[in-house]
């Protein structure tokens, strides 16, 4: 089995975490390394996983990462899936504003 590398440009380190963006919920989830590489996720080394920053207003969910583990356990994968689902529920329960995110309508002056 080959070791997966960090997907950051120029980084030769081994990946220990997987980053997934949930764009609809403005959430980034960093958890244990996924069992297989997926096209819309990013494998990160310890340093890049720890230094990740996201756009203002986004949430980051960080799950415990064991840098010595070679594969995530079933419990790790279930916890990651539960965290993504929970983040989706939180966003859906908030009242939705009409228009693009970050903009609000202003009533006309009389």
């Amino acid at each position: 089995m080959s070791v997966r590398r960090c997907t950051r440009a120029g980084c030769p380190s081994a990946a220990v975490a997987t980053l997934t963006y949930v764009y609809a919920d403005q959430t980034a989830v960093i958890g244990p390394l996924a069992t297989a590489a997926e096209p819309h996720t990013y494998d990160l080394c310890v340093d890049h996983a720890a230094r990740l920053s996201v756009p203002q207003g986004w949430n980051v969910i960080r799950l415990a990462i064991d840098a010595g583990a070679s594969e995530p356990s079933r419990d790790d994968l279930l916890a990651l899936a539960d965290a993504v689902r929970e983040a989706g529920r939180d966003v859906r329960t908030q009242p939705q504003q009409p228009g693009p995110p970050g903009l609000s309508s202003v009533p006309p002056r009389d």
Side-chain angles (χ1 to χ4, degrees):
M1 179 173 149
S2 65
V3 175
R4 290 189 353 230
R5 299 284 174 204
C6 181
T7 55
R8 294 293 303 256
C11 183
S13 301
V16 297
T18 296
L19 166 65
T20 304
Y21 288 111
V22 184
Y23 293 98
D25 300 334
Q26 294 184 334
T27 301
V29 180
I30 301 175
L33 187 63
T35 54
E38 296 290 331
H40 299 290
T41 62
Y42 304 90
D43 295 336
L44 300 175
C45 66
V46 172
D47 292 335
H48 285 119
R51 295 188 317 208
L52 176 79
S53 62
V54 296
Q56 186 174 358
W58 280 54
N59 297 310
V60 178
I61 298 174
R62 293 181 187 271
L63 302 175
I65 299 168
D66 182 7
S70 59
E71 290 187 8
S73 70
R74 185 176 193 287
D75 291 338
D76 292 336
L77 296 174
L78 291 174
L80 180 60
D82 289 341
V84 171
R85 277 190 221 104
E86 187 63 34
R89 279 189 211 111
D90 291 344
V91 170
R92 278 186 234 115
T93 58
Q94 296 173 357
Q96 296 295 319
Q97 296 287 334
L103 299 178
S104 60
S105 60
V106 177
R109 293 168 129 176
D110 290 328

